[in-house]
Amino acid sequence: MSPSLAQIFAVFLKIGLLSFGGPAAQIALMHRMLVDERDWLTEKQFLNALSFCMLLPGPEAMQLATYAGWRLHGVLGGLIAGLLFVLPGAAVIFALALLYVTYGDLPLVGTLFLGVQAVAVVIVVEALLKVSKRALHGVAHWVLAGLAFVAIFFFAVPFPVIVLTAGLYGALMVSNADATPALPVTVSAGRSLSTIVIGLAVWGLPVLAVDLLFNGTILTDIALFFSKLAVVTFGGAYAVLAYMAQDVVVQYGWLTPTEMMDGLGLAETTPGPLILVTQFVGTLAAFREGGYALAVAGGAMTLWVTFVPCFLWIFVGAPYIDWISAQPRLNGALRAITAAVVGVILNLSLWFALHVLFGTVTKTEGGVLRLWVPDGTTLNWQAIALIALSAVLLLRVHLAIGWVLGISAAAALVLAQI
């Protein structure tokens, strides 16, 4: 028997409150609570859904929660599960972001966040290692990752161009002869089309209303930027971060590199998907434009355009999971995109590390070539020590992220006295 809506609410509220530690820990938590403890999903259903969600743009753990709710109780169940996975962490991020803009300039806070930034560098490197193990199979995928890194780091090629190029290559290099029989699709094309129309309206109408009512404010820019982000960022939260980080710092000037890394550190310590770092960015960007009220509106707009598409992908795609898994060209395209994302995350790792280790990093351009050149005289020995400490605690000792952040922040206070 399917669980009641009250049971779904209680279980997914618990998942939302306990979902610390990034996508891997969140997926493991859902597997234990939905498959092992309650038999709400079979092992095959869970793994098929996970594979499908990893092929979508956006946060796979949140989309998996939405799928599980949909599977158990239709669209209403999906909405309950997805919202409860996001909202506890979103409330915490709102509070932390507002505290950050209020007290972030204090010297003590700056010292503490140097420790947070060191951990953020190691977190991204750890993600690079994990994603590369999962995504790079064979010489072609390694070459794709290398080309993607060169394209974005040295030539500033837009992330959507890299995604489309890699996907096209992956689709063309796979033969349809590898197709396997799939179960027939049980939903009509008309039903899917109506879901798409409703989803696009829910996604886009608030953006249009804000643009008409508050024309010229940063809210429109936030809505358009994060809507684009929601469509092209295949490869999970770190792909989102890799695309977003340099754009919000270099192109839009909404945040500094230091603030971007602080946001990542805060998002790692809160429940919910890591992609909530986008909410931190939207809140800070809007605060600089118009104070606290606009900051809340900016954070809310960011949440809306980031997560409404996730519900749309699941509600449209869930009935097609078995069919999609049997399409070799689609799978080939998405495997190639994931390989390219490894190169993009490498770009993010290097960019973050440069801005933590050096006080001054200059962008130099010559024709189509772009280079980030650090000033060697501004090398921060404290940052080196904190990154080394964080790497040992995370990668060797495998200490929980909350403990590592606390230890690194405390170590930063100690080093500041030397």
Side-chain angles (χ1 to χ4, degrees), residues 52-63:
F52 173 70
C53 293
M54 291 177 73
L55 302 178
L56 298 173
E60 64 267 27
M62 179 268 176
Q63 291 164 340

Side-chain angles (χ1 to χ4, degrees), residues 5-349:
L5 285 175
Q7 290 173 309
I8 291 174
F9 185 95
V11 169
F12 280 98
L13 177 59
K14 185 176 181 180
I15 290 173
L17 292 171
L18 297 177
S19 57
F20 294 88
Q26 293 159 357
I27 290 166
L29 174 66
M30 282 189 281
H31 185 274
R32 188 178 81 242
M33 297 186 69
L34 302 178
V35 179
D36 294 338
E37 296 179 359
R38 290 173 177 80
D39 291 326
W40 284 1
L41 296 177
T42 66
E43 186 76 22
K44 183 177 180 180
Q45 288 171 339
F46 187 89
L47 292 178
N48 283 347
L50 176 59
S51 298
F52 173 70
C53 293
M54 291 177 73
L55 302 178
L56 298 173
E60 64 267 27
M62 179 268 176
Q63 291 164 340
L64 179 61
T66 304
Y67 172 83
W70 174 87
R71 183 93 191 189
L72 295 169
H73 221 292
V75 170
L76 184 56
L79 288 171
I80 291 172
L83 288 173
L84 289 177
F85 190 84
V86 171
L87 290 180
V92 175
I93 288 290
F94 257 131
L96 291 175
L98 294 176
L99 287 171
Y100 185 87
V101 298
T102 304
Y103 300 108
D105 290 335
L106 296 177
L108 175 63
V109 175
T111 300
L112 289 171
F113 272 103
L114 177 61
V116 173
Q117 293 155 23
V119 178
V121 171
V122 181
I123 287 170
V124 177
V125 172
E126 183 182 34
L128 173 66
L129 296 174
K130 289 180 178 178
V131 174
S132 62
K133 288 179 181 178
R134 188 183 74 201
L136 302 182
H137 303 290
V139 175
H141 284 169
W142 281 91
V143 171
L144 276 174
L147 291 175
F149 169 74
V150 170
I152 196 167
F153 189 84
F154 292 104
F155 297 99
V157 175
F159 183 76
V161 173
I162 293 173
V163 166
L164 292 173
T165 304
L168 181 61
Y169 169 82
L172 293 176
M173 296 305 292
V174 174
S175 171
N176 275 327
D178 297 329
T180 56
L183 294 175
V185 176
T186 57
V187 66
S188 68
R191 178 68 178 272
S192 296
L193 181 60
S194 65
T195 303
I196 292 172
V197 171
I198 293 171
L200 291 176
V202 172
W203 181 7
L205 288 178
V207 176
L208 180 61
V210 166
D211 186 48
L212 292 174
L213 293 172
F214 306 100
N215 186 33
T217 69
I218 196 172
L219 295 179
T220 300
D221 294 334
I222 287 173
L224 294 177
F225 175 73
F226 287 107
S227 291
K228 180 174 66 175
L229 196 79
V231 175
V232 301
T233 45
F234 296 88
Y238 287 99
V240 176
L241 195 63
Y243 176 34
M244 174 184 68
Q246 286 175 281
D247 274 10
V248 300
V249 172
V250 178
Q251 180 176 338
Y252 291 93
W254 290 342
L255 274 71
T256 67
T258 297
E259 290 168 339
M260 188 67 247
M261 287 178 284
D262 290 345
L264 174 60
L266 291 176
E268 284 281 2
T269 64
T270 60
L274 180 60
I275 201 175
L276 285 172
V277 69
T278 59
Q279 178 194 354
F280 179 87
V281 172
T283 302
L284 262 66
F287 174 82
R288 295 214 165 88
E289 189 83 8
Y292 289 100
L294 195 60
V296 173
M301 176 59 75
T302 304
L303 283 174
W304 186 265
V305 298
T306 297
F307 289 105
V308 168
C310 296
F311 289 104
L312 175 59
W313 311 148
I314 293 298
F315 294 152
V316 172
Y320 297 86
I321 284 181
D322 293 325
W323 180 85
I324 289 172
S325 65
Q327 307 306 308
R329 291 196 182 278
L330 180 58
N331 281 313
L334 292 167
R335 284 197 301 271
I337 289 171
T338 305
V341 164
V342 173
V344 177
I345 297 176
L346 174 59
N347 157 75
L348 175 67
S349 303

Side-chain angles (χ1 to χ4, degrees), residues 58 140 277 285 387 395:
V277 69
I387 289 173
L395 304 181

